[in-house]
Structure formats: C-alpha cells, structure tokens
Amino acid sequence: MQINFQRTNFHGRKVSLWGGTAVGILLPVAQIISGQGNCAALRVAVAAAGSGAAGFFDDMSDSDTTNKSTKGLHGHIGALKEGRLSPGLVKMLALMATGAVAARPRRDIWGWMIQAGVIAGSANLVNLLDLRPGRALKVALLGGAAGFWPARSGCYCARLRMAATNCAVIAAALPLDLREVTMLGDTGANALGAVLGATWSQGRTTRTNLMTLAVIAALTLASEKISFSKVIDSHPVLKAGDDWGRLPA
C-alpha cells in the first residue's frame, strides 16, 4: 500500500486527498468536543472515526493498478470469485462493523441491526456521490440539516449540537472542494456519510430507520445500473444546483 495523497479529478486537475483526510479527523474530534461527553455524540464520533479509517485504507490501496478496476458491488464480488479480497470489500466489511459498534444498543436486536445498516449504508452512499467537485458535500449539507429534525427520544439540545457540528465541518470543507484544491476521497466521504447516518438515526424509531435504510439500499442498488451524473445532468434544476460554485471545465 503506497502513501499517495495526489489524485486526478474529473476535470483532469491534480487535487489533494488531504481535504478528505482533514474531514475524517475533524468530524470525530469536533463531535467529542461539542458533545461534552454525551453518549450519542460519542457514538457519532465512533462512526466517523471508524468509517474514515476504512476509507483511508481504500484510498491508499487505490494506487495499486490491480485494485483500480475493482469498483462497485459487481467488481468486489468478481474479485472474490477470483480468490482476491479487494480493498473495497475490506472497507465495506469495516463499515458494517463500525455501524454495529456505533449503533445504540437496544433490547430489540432488529432495531440495532437496522440502525447499524443506516450508518454503514450512509457512509457508502455519500462516497457514491463523490464524483464531481462539491457534489457530495452539497448533498451532505442537506443531510446535515435533516439532522436538526426532532427525534422521538433523546436530548434535543444534544441533537442540535451534533447536527450543527456536522454542518460546520461540511461548510468549511466545501470551498476548497469546489475550487478543486482538495477532494473528499473515500476517507472524507465515508466519514461524512457515517456521521450523518449516525446523527439522523439516533433516537429514531425502528420504523423510521427501516424506511431510511430502504431508501439508502434502493439508491445504492440503482447506482449499479444508473449513472447519478446522467440523471443530474438531465434535470435543469438538479444540474444548476450541482454546478453551483464549481470551476468551469
């Protein structure tokens, strides 16, 4: 595994993965500080740290030419059939493990498993959106704002702090991402997705989390067949929002 923080983005420009690495570090640290020892904030921090570490492993393995073509669920399964454990599959297993640790323990094991799925699935989904400068962060900002929605249980003040912390980190990372100086990579995207999933799912009912997981699963499966970029480019409103603030090609 080679340590290389330089990547070539969609426009052919050289960008740095240090931005995503910074996001992966800032998210758990900021949650711990702002959470003031709150258990919910600590679980969110665990989700960010574990998912960010899994993404960092995948980022650093991506320089290997053997791994570059192993993308998507089909690619990982294909590698497994060849007797090869791809870094992406290792990351997926690590995301599921992180989700299981970060989910709130419940008497209802299904509720715990569903929440773990929301955390892991969110981490993967945000990574799937990180195909154009600023896109994943813009969607994440909407997801961060959704975290302010009151939950059925838990302290609302703690929820406000968690959601506000997420939005602050996203807002700080957005300018350099749009200017194509940095990019999220797997490290930043996975950490960001996990922290959004963990924040949203805290205190939600099992039914709400199940509905959330169903949407995440549907979008993830759709990404195997449908290009999100083509869908966005075909809708003027979505395209305008996606292009906002981005440098010309």
Side-chain angles (χ1 to χ4, degrees), residues 36-56:
Q36 302 174 355
N38 180 272
C39 290
L42 289 176
R43 284 191 288 270
V44 172
V46 167
S51 298
F56 184 79

Side-chain angles (χ1 to χ4, degrees), residues 51-230:
S51 298
F56 184 79
F57 169 78
D58 200 19
D59 274 334
M60 295 301 105
S61 301
D62 197 44
S63 57
D64 187 343
T65 55
T66 306
N67 300 323
K68 285 186 176 180
S69 61
T70 312
K71 298 294 183 181
L73 186 59
H74 289 299
H76 299 316
I77 293 175
L80 197 60
K81 289 180 178 178
E82 296 172 1
R84 179 166 55 89
L85 192 61
S86 68
L89 184 57
V90 173
K91 183 189 75 172
M92 289 174 64
L93 295 173
L95 291 179
M96 288 189 285
T98 298
V101 173
R104 181 178 180 179
R106 303 187 183 196
R107 293 180 181 179
D108 175 15
I109 190 171
W110 292 112
W112 167 72
M113 291 176 64
I114 289 168
Q115 187 184 4
V118 169
I119 296 171
S122 298
N124 185 60
L125 183 58
V126 171
N127 192 35
L128 293 176
L129 293 167
D130 190 31
L131 297 176
R132 300 291 185 273
R135 177 182 294 172
L137 285 165
K138 290 174 185 176
V139 175
L141 195 57
L142 295 176
F148 288 104
W149 191 266
R152 184 172 182 176
S153 62
C155 175
Y156 186 58
C157 289
R159 173 170 295 280
L160 284 176
R161 286 195 299 268
M162 290 189 295
T165 298
N166 295 339
C167 290
V169 173
I170 295 168
L174 187 57
L176 288 179
D177 201 285
L178 284 172
R179 299 299 297 176
E180 300 183 40
V181 176
T182 63
M183 64 180 290
L184 286 176
D186 292 70
T187 307
N190 287 151
L192 186 54
V195 84
L196 294 178
T199 301
W200 168 259
S201 62
Q202 295 280 351
R204 306 288 174 192
T205 64
T206 298
R207 182 179 179 180
T208 298
N209 282 337
L210 181 59
M211 292 171 62
T212 304
L213 181 58
V215 172
I216 292 171
L219 290 172
T220 302
L221 291 174
S223 71
E224 295 285 325
K225 300 292 184 181
I226 303 171
S227 169
F228 287 163
S229 294
K230 289 183 178 179

